[in-house]
């Protein structure tokens, strides 16, 4: 950490900063320049509150040298991490293709969608049993019945399953049925929930909050990693924008940026990012070209009957076409979709 002092800082103020740093258990290193004096801090930066240092008279700014996400950073782990979900491997050249309905609606429908997405090339099945809805009157999901239905459909199709956990009290329940726990955009900074899923050894799909920076996303991943769970896959699903032409603003640059900062795999969700079936294929392909380790797409066999997000669902045939395009683009970059059977 570096403390930059103001141009008109007094000797007494400099001494106070040096004393305060030493009191906090770090070694200060004073450097006087022609125009600016700076103090380098040597030691464990995490003991220090940047805000508190900034409030000291004579201090202009306090800068971190190392990223605050130690475990998620590329420096901590220069090789890409590979996360395993069932037998599917995500990262390091292997990709996830996650597909399924927004919500689990019933056994028959879940089974037929599972079969269709598996045939089309998906390697992980999705479906929400606990749905985070804007309205308390909207369909909230089938709860534990939904988890059972998803599990059975996944087993029958030969696909591992991912589903969202909304509540720290449900982590154990959801972990009993799912191969991967999804933390949704609305809960990306639910630190109690992050800590709870961190205590499990289940892979986690951590979706970027709709107003979260890349730094916020990596700090949330850090919560999970710091609990001992290293199985984290990030997901770019769009952030709030000003243009209603799409549901959210698909931040494809965030994917490439994460690759420069972290070893964690990152996938894209063009369904929630765009909210438009016609924009899902181009954005999925763009995500993959930007370096994504996979794609997450909502698929429904009858969108007009969907309990949630029917407006953005791809039909199985559309998904099959996209899957083939993604496979071919992946080949160009030397990345392939991991087989659900581990072959
Ligand atoms: C979902 O995956 O169905 C979902 C609610 O996504 P998000 O948290 O990204 O809005
Ligand atoms: Mn959805």
């Amino acid at each position: 950490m570096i403390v930059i002092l103001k141009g008109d800082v007094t000797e007494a103020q400099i001494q106070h900063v040096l004393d305060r740093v030493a009191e906090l258990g770090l070694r200060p290193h004073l450097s006087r320049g022609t125009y600016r004096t700076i103090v380098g801090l040597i030691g464990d930066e995490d003991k220090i509150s940047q805000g508190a240092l900034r409030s000291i008279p004579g201090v202009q700014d306090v800068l971190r040298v190392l990223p605050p996400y130690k475990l998620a950073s590329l420096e901590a782990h220069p090789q890409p991490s590979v996360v395993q979900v069932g037998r599917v491997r995500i990262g390091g050249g292997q990709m996830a293709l996650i597909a399924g309905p927004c919500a689990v609606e019933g056994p028959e429908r879940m089974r037929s969608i599972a079969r269709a997405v598996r045939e089309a090339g998906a390697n992980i099945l999705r479906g929400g049993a606990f749905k985070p809805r804007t309205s308390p009157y909207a369909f909230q999901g089938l709860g534990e019945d939904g988890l059972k239905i998803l599990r059975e459909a996944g087993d029958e199709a030969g696909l591992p399953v991912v589903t969202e956990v909304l509540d720290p009290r449900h982590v154990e329940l959801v972990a009993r049925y799912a191969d991967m726990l999804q933390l949704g955009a609305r809960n990306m900074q639910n630190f109690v929930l992050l800590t709870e899923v961190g205590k499990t050894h289940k892979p986690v799909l951590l979706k970027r909050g709709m107003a979260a920076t890349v730094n916020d996303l990596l700090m949330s991943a850090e919560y999970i990693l710091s609990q001992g769970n290293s199985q984290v896959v990030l997901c770019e699903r769009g952030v709030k924008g000003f243009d209603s032409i799409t549901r959210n603003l698909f931040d494809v640059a965030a994917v490439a940026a994460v690759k420069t900062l972290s070893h964690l795999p990152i996938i894209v969700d063009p369904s929630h990012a765009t909210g438009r079936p016609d924009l899902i294929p181009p954005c999925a392909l763009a995500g993959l070209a930007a370096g994504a380790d996979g794609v997450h797409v909502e698929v429904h066999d009858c969108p007009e009957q969907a309990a949630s997000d029917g407006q953005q669902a791809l039909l199985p045939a559309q998904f099959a076409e996209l899957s083939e395009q993604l496979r071919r683009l992946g080949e160009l970059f030397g990345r392939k979709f991991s087989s659900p059977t581990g072959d």
Side-chain angles (χ1 to χ4, degrees):
M1 206 175 271
I2 295 170
V3 179
I4 303 169
L5 301 172
K6 289 183 179 160
D8 60 356
V9 67
T10 66
E11 284 304 316
Q13 286 172 334
I14 294 175
Q15 193 53 50
H16 180 70
V17 170
L18 298 177
D19 292 345
R20 186 73 197 114
V21 169
E23 259 170 41
L24 290 165
L26 279 89
R27 200 147 52 82
H29 179 273
L30 183 65
S31 167
R32 292 178 193 266
T34 312
Y35 302 106
R36 277 287 183 275
T37 296
I38 63 171
V39 181
L41 273 54
I42 302 158
D44 184 1
E45 296 188 346
D46 286 342
K47 291 185 186 159
I48 304 279
S49 156
Q50 245 173 299
L53 276 187
R54 212 173 266 136
S55 74
I56 297 177
V59 171
Q60 180 174 301
D61 207 355
V62 179
L63 305 176
R64 267 186 166 274
V65 180
L66 293 172
Y69 41 86
K70 295 181 177 170
L71 301 170
S73 80
L74 206 51
E75 280 162 28
H77 193 294
Q79 298 305 319
S81 278
V82 178
V83 172
Q84 186 155 343
V85 182
R87 309 181 89 162
V88 172
R89 293 162 71 79
I90 311 168
Q94 306 215 64
M95 295 190 295
L97 186 53
I98 303 177
C102 182
V104 178
E105 296 164 6
E108 275 316 308
R109 172 144 278 151
M110 196 64 229
R111 243 185 253 138
S112 83
I113 297 176
R115 241 179 272 131
V117 298
R118 166 79 157 99
E119 259 166 47
N123 51 19
I124 299 177
L125 180 66
R126 68 148 282 143
F130 294 97
K131 293 303 304 173
R133 304 307 299 279
T134 302
S135 164
Y137 310 116
F139 176 62
Q140 302 286 310
L142 298 179
E144 187 170 2
D145 287 344
L147 296 175
K148 288 184 185 157
I149 293 169
L150 179 68
R151 176 79 265 163
E152 281 170 19
D155 287 346
E156 198 185 291
L159 293 176
V161 300
V162 58
T163 194
E164 181 162 356
V165 56
L166 282 182
D167 186 324
R169 294 166 299 185
H170 293 160
V171 170
E172 202 200 307
L173 171 74
V174 178
R176 228 182 292 145
Y177 293 95
D179 300 294
M180 184 180 217
L181 305 174
Q182 176 173 321
L183 288 196
R186 290 155 191 81
N187 268 317
M188 191 206 81
Q189 286 190 315
N190 181 335
F191 301 118
V192 178
L193 186 56
L194 292 166
T195 302
E196 282 307 305
V197 302
K199 289 182 191 158
T200 73
H201 292 288
K202 286 275 172 182
V204 179
L205 180 60
L206 178 63
K207 299 186 92 176
R208 181 181 181 185
M210 51 191 87
T213 62
V214 166
N215 190 70
D216 294 336
L217 174 63
L218 292 170
M219 289 308 290
S220 289
E222 191 77 11
Y223 263 88
I224 301 170
L225 300 175
S226 68
Q227 293 298 316
N229 185 351
S230 59
Q231 301 275 97
V232 178
V233 176
L234 308 170
C235 179
E236 162 56 36
R237 47 78 72 206
V239 289
K240 289 273 184 203
F242 57 82
D243 193 341
S244 60
I245 197 86
T246 54
R247 181 175 177 178
N248 287 295
L249 187 64
F250 179 45
D251 187 1
V252 74
V255 175
V258 162
K259 287 286 166 198
T260 69
L261 300 170
S262 178
H263 55 91
L264 297 173
I266 178 163
I267 67 168
V268 290
D269 170 2
S271 300
H272 293 90
T274 67
R276 287 177 47 173
D278 56 336
L279 300 187
I280 292 170
C283 290
L285 291 158
L288 205 147
D293 300 285
V295 176
H296 165 289
V297 183
E298 287 187 344
V299 177
H300 201 285
D301 55 4
C302 186
E304 68 174 52
Q305 288 174 8
S308 62
D309 282 350
Q311 78 288 348
Q312 69 192 28
L314 283 192
L315 290 164
Q318 295 171 314
F319 174 67
E321 198 178 320
L322 171 60
S323 168
E324 177 54 18
Q325 291 171 350
L326 288 167
R327 191 190 63 72
R328 282 166 38 205
L329 186 64
E331 230 166 53
L332 198 67
F333 290 106
R335 302 204 295 280
K336 64 176 176 78
F337 288 107
S338 179
S339 158
T341 54
D343 307 328

